[in-house]
Amino acid sequence: PRPPHLFVAALSWHCASSGITYVVQQVYSSQQPKPTKRTHTSFSMDKRGGGDRGGGGKRKKARYCGGRGGGGSSAVIPHGVQGFFFSCENGRENKTAAQLMQVLDEFYVKLCPSAAKKETEEAAVHDIQASLEAEISDLREKKDARFTKIDHETGKGLGFIKMAPSEEGPSVQDLAKALVQDVKETKEKKCRFLMRILPVANTCFPSKDLIEKNVKSLVDEHFPTEEGVTPVKFSVVLEVRAFNSIPKNEIIDLVAQMVPKPHKVDLSNPEKSLSVFIIKNICLLGVVYEYHSFFKYNCNVLAMSEEERAEMCRKTTAPGTAPGPSKKAAAETADKPTEADTTAEKQETEAAAEEKKD
């Protein structure tokens, strides 16, 4: 075995060299520039570490919060536009919007032949290469397109198609009526997943002042007050989703009172209906022709036969109405004397008694 003094000497030399090494490392590290502080967007790529907060944990995934105000989505229906609000099967919004834009374009050309004639003349003047370049540029510039799909997050199974304003072309009311009338006559849906469609003449924020301002322009256009004008039977259609800032009865009274007096209210069979559709923070205003005659513009019901509609009415009761009394109950009610009949009989009996006394 080695002598103990040699072991002690070796241990002393090792401690001395370690101390020298530690001092050199401290001096070297003090002369090096300090690393810059990492921002919240950077993260460590070390699999063992947890980013800036040290090791021992999993690295969290980076998150992106789009939209305004640091969160939420900015995909909403813009204000001051016209178009069509539709409902469809869940998950079929894009497919339905593409088919609906194609169908609306067909009806647009039918109702306005001058638009088709103009497009034909322009195509004849230019050669094939120029027409292709023009078509590509039109597709890239969506704002110049006749119909444009608006991306929004108001709910599943809902969509909105914006229509570019035109002085010569048909209105959104005429296009919507032509579409549902075709479904009713042919019993065929050109848009497979389309359920319901509503024309929208204008959009705004759902406040009383803005609703009154925009409805006034619709009333002036569709309900004239000149002499000799035939009175129009109208109604107010209100649908509200995820909105409770204004009571429903106040909105209905506000809109109904704006229609001038020559025109009359008819809730059973109106010729024109002022539609107010509020969903979250957007208000869709429009005028619908023959709303009840076309089954609230429900394409599924319009495509049914008379027998299928009758069967559907038997199975389901219309909302807001109670089932009528049976034939037996109606007969019993008819046989029973009413309070007015009893009072009249008493008066006749008293009058006869007085005559006998006289």
Side-chain angles (χ1 to χ4, degrees):
R2 295 181 180 180
H5 63 275
L6 294 178
F7 178 76
V8 173
L11 181 62
S12 302
W13 171 253
H14 177 73
C15 293
S17 62
S18 299
I20 294 172
T21 305
Y22 177 76
V23 171
V24 172
Q25 288 178 353
Q26 291 294 324
V27 173
Y28 178 77
S29 61
S30 63
Q31 293 179 355
Q32 295 297 323
K34 294 183 178 181
T36 57
K37 189 177 180 180
R38 291 175 179 175
T39 60
H40 67 280
T41 56
S42 61
F43 53 87
S44 175
M45 296 300 293
D46 189 3
K47 295 182 180 179
R48 298 170 299 173
D52 299 330
R53 299 183 180 179
K58 282 188 176 182
R59 175 174 59 84
K60 294 183 178 180
K61 293 183 179 180
R63 292 184 178 182
Y64 171 74
C65 297
R68 298 171 291 182
S73 175
S74 60
V76 296
I77 300 174
H79 296 166
V81 298
Q82 65 175 356
F84 304 90
F85 189 72
F86 67 89
S87 62
C88 62
E89 298 179 11
N90 292 342
R92 303 289 186 176
E93 295 85 0
N94 295 331
K95 183 70 173 179
T96 305
Q99 293 179 353
L100 186 57
M101 285 190 292
Q102 184 177 0
V103 173
L104 288 173
D105 195 67
E106 294 177 2
F107 282 106
Y108 190 97
V109 174
K110 287 182 181 179
L111 297 177
C112 185
S114 60
K117 184 178 179 181
K118 185 178 179 181
E119 293 176 358
T120 306
E121 291 177 354
E122 291 179 354
V125 171
H126 302 287
D127 55 357
I128 298 176
Q129 186 66 23
S131 62
L132 289 175
E133 292 177 357
E135 186 176 355
I136 292 172
S137 63
D138 291 340
L139 292 174
R140 290 178 178 175
E141 297 177 0
K142 289 187 177 181
K143 61 181 180 179
D144 296 335
R146 186 176 293 165
F147 299 102
T148 308
K149 177 181 174 293
I150 301 296
D151 295 326
H152 63 92
E153 296 182 359
T154 53
K156 294 182 179 180
L158 301 175
F160 186 83
I161 294 177
K162 175 187 173 183
M163 176 178 168
S166 176
E167 296 180 357
E168 300 178 355
S171 62
V172 290
Q173 297 86 8
D174 297 331
L175 284 174
K177 182 181 177 181
L179 189 148
V180 295
Q181 189 171 6
D182 180 77
V183 176
K184 186 177 182 180
E185 293 175 355
T186 61
K187 305 300 180 184
E188 294 181 359
K189 289 170 54 180
K190 294 185 178 180
C191 298
R192 179 181 177 184
F193 305 106
L194 179 65
M195 298 173 63
R196 191 181 174 199
I197 183 172
L198 285 176
V200 178
N202 204 348
T203 58
C204 66
F205 183 80
S207 66
K208 285 187 176 181
D209 297 337
L210 292 176
I211 292 175
E212 183 178 2
K213 178 182 177 182
N214 289 280
V215 169
K216 187 178 183 305
S217 61
L218 295 176
V219 170
D220 295 340
E221 180 182 356
H222 295 275
F223 300 94
T225 57
E226 291 82 4
E227 294 182 359
V229 175
T230 305
V232 178
K233 296 183 292 184
F234 75 95
S235 68
V236 178
V237 179
L238 174 64
E239 296 186 28
V240 178
R241 297 185 183 183
F243 179 81
N244 56 2
S245 300
I246 307 175
K248 294 182 180 180
N249 57 347
E250 293 184 7
I251 300 175
I252 295 174
D253 294 340
L254 175 66
V255 176
Q257 291 174 3
M258 297 181 64
V259 181
K261 199 169 184 179
H263 309 285
K264 300 179 181 180
V265 177
D266 188 351
L267 302 179
S268 59
N269 189 22
E271 300 174 10
K272 296 181 180 181
S273 298
L274 288 165
S275 63
V276 182
F277 194 98
I278 301 176
I279 178 167
K280 294 183 179 180
N281 60 347
I282 190 71
C283 179
L284 311 175
L285 303 171
V287 176
V288 188
Y289 298 152
E290 302 178 24
Y291 183 69
H292 293 288
S293 300
F294 290 106
F295 301 97
K296 300 182 179 180
Y297 281 47
N298 192 323
C299 295
N300 289 340
V301 180
L302 289 169
M304 294 180 180
S305 61
E306 296 294 338
E307 293 77 11
E308 292 174 343
R309 290 176 195 160
E311 184 66 21
M312 183 185 66
C313 293
R314 292 192 198 98
K315 292 181 179 180
T316 60
T317 303
T321 60
S326 60
K327 293 183 179 180
K328 183 178 180 181
E332 292 177 355
T333 305
D335 295 339
K336 291 181 180 179
T338 61
E339 184 179 355
D341 297 336
T342 306
T343 306
E345 290 178 0
K346 287 182 179 180
Q347 291 177 355
E348 291 177 359
T349 306
E350 292 176 357
E354 290 178 357
E355 288 179 359
K356 288 181 179 179
K357 289 181 181 178
D358 296 339

